[in-house]
């Protein structure tokens, strides 16, 4: 008996050591976060200076007219980002923040079309669009202008040519239509719409992050950046046209342009990386790629936690025999991590349920369940605080961090730079549904900036940038849009 309790104590000490090493490896003191902020701003500079000059692609979107709230009329949006697509019809009344109505139709894409031809895929989408338009317009205003304007959210890698056109770089997410790679995505859709007799023009071709910025700006003109924290993560922001060195002589009537950062690929030696991150990256389909995303996005947090529990299970018997389920990548999804992390029942019944049902580890003692909650906390806190550093990095680059920005230099010693109100639009389930992630991120933004500056920075949740945001960009880029507002 004595021998067993000694070995149990030894086993417990071993798992506590695994946790302590994890805490150490994931530490994000404010000083370290500020180093990440600086690195982000420097990489942004490098990516704007030359193609391939940085891990950040800093893609030009050619979007320089963000919606202002004065837009009027009926506009459409098509959102194609995965195995479903959505069609929206949005009616705008010309007053900021008033979207009179919006109708949505969501449809799955038949499996065989994901690997067919561009004609078949876009033919199917154009037919669905036409049906939707006819259905909607039969029951409402018949006297529409001849050509309808469409905002097209296409969440695949695209080389943008203009605000309404771009060529497909490669397919992801299970799509593989080879004849489309290198072709103009808008043109492929435009062709099929014409063929089906649908009088509609692609007025804007965007990705979901740009849609989020458009929707944020429609509701609040102080919105300067947008970030998505969902399965993946990305950010875009409003840059001065003269700061985009790699594209000299860029014509921008508004003085600014939206830049799509593709920030999931950001990397810096200041990021707190553990052996679990190294292993996750090495076993992924894209090693040495998307390093930032693998530390902060919803797709990966659950798997980092799984790897830590596996390590604990192999080093001691506090979880009983090692469950084979612990060897299954991505079996622990981030919503489960959130549920365990936020379990406030006295006996942590939700933690016990997930360990039992998902990982097939029954009868875990309460003190070990508490340990699991702590692992979730450490991994999520690191993710949220790094996400905050990314956001402040953008603010630093554009001089909204209270220090005058990288380009602007600091003000005179002792002088107070007057802070402008600054809004960052945020979208995605990781932020909206995971309370602890959201609270840790907001807290870290305030810590990095300091209270005096933080009071001028608003993190604002938007909903449906890829749908409504695209329709709003169709409105601000429509053939009938009047004038251009100075964005910067």
């Amino acid at each position: 008996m004595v021998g067993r309790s000694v070995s149990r104590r030894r086993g417990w000490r071993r798992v506590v050591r695994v946790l302590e090493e994890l805490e150490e490896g994931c530490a994000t003191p404010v000083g370290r976060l500020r180093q990440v902020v600086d690195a982000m701003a420097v990489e942004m500079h490098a990516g704007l200076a030359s193609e391939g000059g940085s891990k950040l692609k800093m893609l030009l979107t050619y979007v320089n007219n963000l919606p202002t709230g004065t837009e009027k009329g009926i506009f459409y949006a098509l959102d194609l980002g995965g195995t479903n697509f959505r069609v929206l019809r949005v009616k705008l009344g010309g007053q900021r923040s008033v979207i009179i109505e919006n109708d949505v139709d969501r449809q799955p894409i038949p499996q065989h079309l994901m690997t067919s031809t561009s004609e078949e895929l876009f033919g199917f989408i154009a037919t669905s669009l036409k049906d939707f338009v006819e259905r909607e317009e039969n029951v409402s205003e018949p006297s529409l202008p001849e050509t309808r304007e469409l905002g097209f959210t296409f969440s695949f890698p695209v080389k943008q040519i203009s605000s309404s056109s771009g060529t497909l770089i490669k397919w992801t997410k299970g799509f593989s239509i080879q004849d489309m790679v290198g072709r103009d995505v808008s043109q492929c859709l435009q062709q099929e719409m014409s063929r089906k007799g649908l009088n509609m023009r692609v007025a804007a071709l965007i990705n979901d992050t740009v849609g989020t910025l458009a929707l944020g700006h429609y509701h609040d003109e102080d919105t300067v950046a947008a970030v998505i924290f969902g399965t993946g993560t990305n950010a875009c922001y409003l840059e001065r046209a003269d700061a985009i060195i790699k594209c000299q002589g860029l014509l921008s009537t508004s003085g600014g342009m939206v830049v799509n950062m593709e920030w999931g690929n950001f990397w810096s030696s200041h990021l707190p990386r553990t052996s679990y991150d190294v292993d996750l990256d090495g076993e992924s389909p894209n090693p040495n790629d998307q390093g930032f995303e693998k530390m902060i996005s919803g797709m990966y947090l659950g798997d980092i936690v799984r790897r830590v529990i596996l390590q604990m299970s192999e080093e001691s018997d506090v979880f009983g025999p090692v469950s084979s389920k612990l060897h299954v990548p991505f079996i622990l999804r981030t919503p489960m991590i959130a549920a365990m992390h936020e379990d406030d029942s006295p006996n942590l019944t939700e933690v016990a349920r997930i360990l039992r049902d998902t990982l097939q580890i029954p009868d875990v003692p309460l003190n070990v369940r508490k340990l699991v909650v702590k692992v979730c906390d450490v991994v999520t806190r690191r993710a949220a605080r790094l996400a905050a550093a990314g956001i402040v990095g953008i603010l630093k680059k554009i001089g909204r961090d209270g220090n005058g920005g990288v380009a602007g230099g600091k003000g005179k010693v002792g002088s107070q730079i007057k802070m402008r109100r600054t809004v960052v639009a945020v979208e995605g389930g990781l932020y909206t549904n995971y309370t602890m992630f959201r609270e840790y991120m907001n807290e870290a933004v305030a810590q990095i900036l300091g209270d005096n500056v933080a009071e001028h920075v608003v993190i604002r949740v938007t909903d449906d940038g890829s749908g409504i945001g695209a329709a709003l960009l169709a409105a601000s880029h429509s053939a009938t849009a009047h004038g251009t507002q100075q964005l910067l």
Side-chain angles (χ1 to χ4, degrees):
M1 269 318 283
V2 174
R4 187 177 301 165
S5 76
V6 167
S7 84
R8 190 170 294 142
R9 262 203 315 276
R10 205 174 287 144
W12 176 250
R13 275 206 300 272
R14 276 205 289 270
V15 292
V16 169
R17 192 165 66 244
V18 170
L19 175 63
E20 286 169 351
E21 285 170 2
L22 178 74
E23 285 183 297
E24 217 171 286
C26 289
T28 48
V30 175
R32 183 169 209 164
L33 292 178
R34 290 201 175 113
Q35 291 175 311
V36 174
V37 168
D38 291 346
M40 180 68 82
V42 166
E43 286 293 309
M44 288 171 74
H45 256 282
L48 289 174
S50 62
E51 286 300 341
S54 161
K55 278 271 198 188
L56 297 175
K57 288 201 172 70
M58 303 301 282
L59 304 171
L60 307 187
T61 63
Y62 299 93
V63 168
N64 52 24
N65 294 350
L66 285 173
T68 59
T70 57
E71 294 79 12
K72 265 187 171 157
I74 290 172
F75 299 92
Y76 288 86
L78 167 64
D79 175 16
L80 174 62
T83 48
N84 291 308
F85 73 97
R86 293 181 309 145
V87 184
L88 291 86
R89 177 181 192 265
V90 176
K91 186 175 180 185
L92 303 174
Q95 290 167 297
R96 183 178 286 285
S97 291
V98 181
I99 294 171
I100 298 173
E101 59 183 82
N102 92 76
D103 306 293
V104 191
D105 182 31
R106 176 191 291 271
Q107 286 195 50
I109 289 178
Q111 191 78 40
H112 70 276
L113 290 182
M114 293 169 68
T115 54
S116 59
T117 63
S118 59
E119 281 75 18
E120 286 182 73
L121 175 66
F122 283 111
F124 174 76
I125 291 171
T127 300
S128 306
L129 253 172
K130 189 180 183 204
D131 293 347
F132 177 76
V133 168
E134 286 172 354
R135 212 166 45 240
E136 291 294 326
E137 291 182 2
N138 276 347
V139 295
S140 61
E141 310 90 299
S143 58
L144 272 169
E146 281 306 286
T147 305
R148 301 165 191 86
E149 306 278 2
L150 176 77
F152 183 10
T153 300
F154 185 74
S155 300
F156 298 92
V158 160
K159 179 161 178 41
Q160 207 85 22
I161 301 163
S162 72
S163 58
S164 61
S165 62
T167 55
L168 176 67
I169 296 169
K170 64 171 181 179
W171 285 107
T172 54
K173 309 176 206 179
F175 282 78
S176 179
I177 300 173
Q178 287 319 306
D179 74 332
M180 252 200 82
V181 175
R183 282 175 66 189
D184 180 352
V185 178
S186 298
Q187 220 174 0
C188 293
L189 176 61
Q190 199 76 64
Q191 244 167 356
E192 293 304 317
M193 290 193 298
S194 305
R195 208 170 276 173
K196 302 281 185 274
L198 174 60
N199 195 353
M200 192 175 265
R201 179 184 84 99
V202 179
L205 175 70
I206 61 162
N207 77 2
D208 51 0
T209 322
V210 178
T212 296
L213 180 58
L215 183 54
H217 198 270
Y218 180 81
H219 287 303
D220 190 326
E221 65 186 352
D222 291 330
T223 307
V224 295
V227 191
I228 291 184
F229 297 111
T231 308
T233 181
N234 191 18
C236 72
Y237 73 105
L238 208 45
E239 182 57 275
R240 295 194 331 271
D242 61 2
I244 305 172
I245 300 157
K246 65 182 173 185
C247 201
Q248 284 296 355
L250 197 61
L251 285 174
S252 168
T253 44
S254 62
M257 181 181 287
V258 178
V259 173
N260 166 18
M261 292 173 62
E262 292 294 336
W263 87 350
N265 205 38
F266 169 67
W267 189 254
S268 157
S269 59
H270 298 298
L271 292 173
R273 200 179 199 207
T274 67
S275 60
Y276 306 106
D277 300 302
V278 173
D279 293 346
L280 182 148
D281 181 53
E283 293 164 28
S284 70
N286 56 341
N288 301 317
D289 218 19
Q290 300 297 99
F292 193 49
E293 180 168 83
K294 285 171 181 165
M295 281 188 174
I296 71 172
S297 85
M299 170 134 188
Y300 299 100
L301 298 188
D303 208 55
I304 298 170
V305 171
R306 173 190 69 84
R307 288 165 185 277
V308 178
I309 297 173
L310 174 60
Q311 181 75 23
M312 288 176 162
S313 190
E314 285 176 337
E315 291 209 10
S316 101
D317 59 359
V318 296
F319 289 96
V322 178
S323 163
S324 63
K325 294 288 181 192
L326 276 174
H327 289 282
V328 180
F330 299 101
I331 192 168
L332 258 193
R333 296 190 350 273
T334 298
M336 296 171 183
I337 301 307
M340 293 195 291
H341 193 182
E342 294 170 356
D343 184 355
D344 53 8
S345 62
N347 287 323
L348 298 177
T349 47
E350 190 60 15
V351 179
R353 187 189 68 75
I354 289 170
L355 291 173
R356 183 187 67 238
D357 296 354
T358 304
L359 295 177
Q360 290 179 1
I361 308 174
D363 313 320
V364 177
L366 182 60
N367 62 342
V368 180
R369 296 205 290 275
K370 285 179 176 168
L371 212 63
V372 169
V373 173
K374 187 65 188 157
V375 171
C376 296
D377 184 69
V378 171
V379 170
T380 295
R381 186 168 187 268
R382 176 186 70 164
R385 288 172 71 80
L386 291 177
I391 288 173
V392 179
I394 297 174
L395 299 184
K396 182 182 178 76
K397 169 69 184 71
I398 58 176
R400 299 288 188 110
D401 67 334
N403 288 323
V406 177
K410 302 238 190 314
K412 292 193 184 76
V413 180
S415 77
Q416 284 295 303
I417 292 171
K418 190 176 180 319
M419 274 296 293
R420 288 170 64 184
R421 181 172 174 274
T422 296
V423 181
V424 178
V426 172
E427 196 167 321
L430 183 62
Y431 186 84
T432 54
N433 302 335
Y434 193 164
T435 309
M436 293 300 293
F437 179 93
R438 184 169 65 247
E439 287 177 0
Y440 278 146
M441 191 189 99
N442 293 348
E443 174 191 64
V445 168
Q447 284 177 353
I448 300 165
L449 288 170
D451 292 342
N452 291 346
V453 176
E455 68 186 45
H456 300 282
V457 175
V458 181
I459 307 282
R460 180 171 175 163
V461 173
T462 63
D463 186 23
D464 197 18
S466 59
I468 297 170
L472 292 171
L473 280 164
S476 64
H477 286 78
S478 71
T480 53
H482 299 297
T484 304
Q485 186 199 35
Q486 282 301 111
L487 288 175
L488 291 161

